[in-house]
Amino acid sequence: SAVISQKPSRDICQRGTSLTIQCQVDSQVTMMFWYRQQPGQSLTLIATANQGSEATYESGFVIDKFPISRPNLTFSTLTVSNMSPEDSSIYLCSADGSRENTEAFFGQGTRLTVV
Amino acid sequence: QKEVEQNSGPLSVPEGAIASLNCTYSDRGSQSFFWYRQYSGKSPELIMSIYSNGDKEDGRFTAQLNKASQYVSLLIRDSQPSDSATYLCAVSLNGNAGNMLTFGGGTRLMVKP
């Protein structure tokens, strides 16, 4: 299974600022995904990050608020822009293999608190 | 609208008993099914994956899939207090979408000593 390193593991940020979360995979993967887990809730997909193209966002999430980079097959970043307290969540990246039926594994998550 | 439904629980079972966790999904095109365990404050950890109808066993865990009924379950035998966690059912269309997962709300399992 892939090993996914995500950082920072947690941060406390002032409203109006931005935070960039990094996700590094120890092997080349075709797709990477960013999820949000609000307090007491399950995971919701934010976007799919493909290498060499713009990310594909799910309903309710926009590029201006959550810009994503995917410069190569092992790395991706998610930025939470112009933060408000409602953005306080755990943000998780996951990586997918290039073959069908490869399980998705998660990074350790970033616990974000906006004050 | 892709949906995955789980009973939120908590499901309480005594130590040594069998815990049965259930999940239904709405998209008949779903191909891949996963169970994740999530301890409080931690990221999800993959427990089981299943892709075809029937049972799949791994140690104390058995996943069951019935595509006709759009139903997937997880059985935990000889439940231990360390199994107490939230269990997330996740479903993927797979193929070109890769493992873009739709998660259920999770079932909180409590195993009492």
Side-chain angles (χ1 to χ4, degrees):
Chain A
S1 62
V3 175
I4 305 170
S5 299
Q6 186 175 339
K7 60 181 182 181
S9 59
R10 59 178 61 226
D11 207 342
I12 301 173
C13 300
Q14 296 290 324
R15 66 178 68 200
T17 63
S18 298
L19 175 72
T20 296
I21 302 167
Q22 300 180 1
C23 193
Q24 178 77 51
V25 190
D26 69 345
S27 59
Q28 293 185 340
V29 293
T30 305
M31 292 185 176
M32 295 179 72
F33 306 90
W34 288 96
Y35 292 85
R36 180 176 72 182
Q37 188 172 29
Q38 294 177 300
Q41 304 293 315
S42 189
L43 282 75
T44 300
L45 181 67
I46 297 172
T48 302
N50 304 309
Q51 193 266 337
S53 64
E54 278 197 4
T56 303
Y57 289 83
E58 296 299 302
S59 176
F61 297 97
V62 295
I63 188 171
D64 289 347
K65 176 66 176 178
F66 297 103
I68 287 171
S69 77
R70 181 81 198 275
N72 56 53
L73 290 174
T74 64
F75 186 79
S76 180
T77 68
L78 168 77
T79 298
V80 185
S81 303
N82 188 25
M83 288 182 285
S84 67
E86 292 71 34
D87 295 318
S88 298
S89 290
I90 298 173
Y91 293 85
L92 296 131
C93 70
S94 76
D96 191 29
S98 58
R99 295 172 294 144
E100 282 192 43
N101 297 342
T102 300
E103 295 101 352
F105 295 88
F106 285 84
Q108 304 94 318
T110 296
R111 182 180 294 272
L112 171 63
T113 302
V114 183
V115 298
Chain B
Q1 181 79 18
K2 297 187 286 284
E3 289 186 353
V4 179
E5 301 287 340
Q6 293 181 256
N7 188 318
S8 62
L11 173 66
S12 182
V13 301
E15 183 175 357
I18 295 175
S20 178
L21 305 164
N22 304 315
C23 173
T24 60
Y25 59 95
S26 63
D27 193 331
R28 286 195 171 274
S30 301
Q31 297 293 323
S32 305
F33 307 86
F34 308 92
W35 283 99
Y36 287 85
R37 177 175 63 196
Q38 187 175 29
Y39 294 111
S40 180
K42 303 294 185 181
S43 66
E45 171 192 9
L46 183 67
I47 297 297
M48 290 284 286
S49 60
I50 186 166
Y51 306 103
S52 55
N53 282 327
D55 295 0
K56 179 182 177 183
E57 186 174 320
D58 183 0
R60 295 187 296 113
F61 300 97
T62 299
Q64 299 173 318
L65 174 61
N66 184 325
K67 289 187 178 180
S69 300
Q70 296 175 240
Y71 176 90
V72 59
S73 67
L74 178 71
L75 300 178
I76 306 174
R77 289 181 299 280
D78 188 24
S79 296
Q80 301 297 310
S82 59
D83 295 325
S84 298
T86 296
Y87 288 81
L88 300 167
C89 173
V91 172
S92 170
L93 289 174
N94 213 12
N96 290 334
N99 273 329
M100 184 176 69
L101 299 173
T102 300
F103 282 85
T107 298
R108 191 157 69 93
L109 173 66
M110 297 171 57
V111 180
K112 296 188 174 181

